[in-house]
Amino acid sequence: MDKFKNKYRIQSARASWWDYASFAPYFITICSKNREHYFGEIQNGNMILSDIGKIVENEWINTFRLRPDMNLGQGEFIVMPNHFHAIIIIGENKYNIPSYISKKSEKTSINVFGPQSKNLAAIVRGFKSTVTAHARKIHAEFSWQERFHEHIIKNQDSFIKISHYISTNPLRWDEDCYRTIQEI
């Protein structure tokens, strides 16, 4: 970073003390660029998926089939008009057990930034990329927001509350912070 004197550095939103390949449940939110309503609409408290919304749903379900080596678990998820919420559990696997990690590098440290694979960021990147490729066949302008929000779920109470939040999200659409003014 000395070369650019931190001028072009974007601060990471990720916890520097956490390894995002770790065995844990994560709550993620991914938004469409400019919060455009690509994924469908809320009618009477129910989410009605558009063709792009169906792609999002199908590709999320596919995510778990495509990565059997990561021992992923699927929690609650919902496709909303302009964002997506999900719980994903990264289980113990050969990429996050201490003996494998220590073989990779003697200088392994937590949350090493650089090429990301077999962790939460890689999963989200693959998901977003696949959805984008299919969605642009329907709407050439489709795009995701650059980053995504994540929360490490630390206990069972939090897991239950977040699951409930996700499943009831369409009922609270009128108060949703991801809703844009275009609909009001």
Side-chain angles (χ1 to χ4, degrees):
M1 293 316 305
D2 289 341
K3 185 175 180 180
F4 298 106
K5 300 189 184 356
N6 284 326
K7 186 174 180 182
Y8 301 102
R9 173 132 171 85
I10 297 171
Q11 191 63 33
S12 174
R14 309 290 164 247
S16 61
W17 48 268
W18 186 259
D19 179 351
Y20 285 91
S22 294
F23 170 40
Y26 301 91
F27 171 42
I28 62 168
T29 300
I30 310 170
C31 297
S32 61
K33 189 168 187 175
N34 299 321
R35 298 201 176 134
E36 291 287 330
H37 291 212
Y38 290 115
F39 308 135
E41 60 182 315
I42 304 291
Q43 292 179 0
N44 301 319
N46 294 305
M47 180 61 194
I48 309 302
L49 296 174
S50 66
D51 288 342
I52 295 176
K54 290 174 187 172
I55 291 169
V56 171
E57 182 177 70
N58 291 333
E59 290 307 323
W60 184 248
I61 292 167
N62 234 2
T63 294
F64 300 87
R65 188 183 57 77
L66 294 172
R67 294 175 176 79
D69 59 333
M70 291 185 70
N71 191 23
L72 300 177
Q74 181 178 328
E76 196 72 43
F77 73 93
I78 186 93
V79 180
M80 295 294 287
N82 60 3
H83 65 282
F84 171 77
H85 290 305
I87 293 176
I88 182 170
I89 301 116
I90 298 178
E92 280 190 18
N93 62 63
K94 69 180 186 178
Y95 308 106
N96 65 14
I97 56 175
S99 61
Y100 178 80
I101 293 169
S102 62
K103 288 177 189 173
K104 285 194 326 186
S105 168
E106 292 300 318
K107 297 180 181 179
T108 300
S109 63
I110 292 175
N111 210 2
V112 176
F113 294 99
Q116 302 285 306
S117 66
K118 304 300 181 185
N119 63 15
L120 185 63
I123 294 164
V124 172
R125 182 176 58 247
F127 167 71
K128 288 170 68 173
S129 175
T130 303
V131 168
T132 299
H134 293 299
R136 286 191 176 159
K137 293 174 186 172
I138 296 168
H139 194 294
E141 302 293 316
F142 175 80
S143 189
W144 292 102
Q145 174 179 294
E146 285 186 18
R147 295 182 177 194
F148 67 97
H149 303 278
E150 57 71 27
H151 172 78
I152 305 158
I153 302 174
K154 297 180 180 82
N155 59 49
Q156 188 65 22
D157 265 357
S158 184
F159 189 94
I160 291 167
K161 286 177 184 172
I162 292 169
S163 293
H164 179 74
Y165 173 82
I166 292 170
S167 66
T168 60
N169 204 231
L171 298 172
R172 294 184 313 282
W173 180 241
D174 289 343
E175 301 98 43
D176 199 303
C177 68
Y178 295 105
R179 186 174 175 201
T180 58
I181 214 74
Q182 70 189 31
E183 192 178 275
I184 299 174

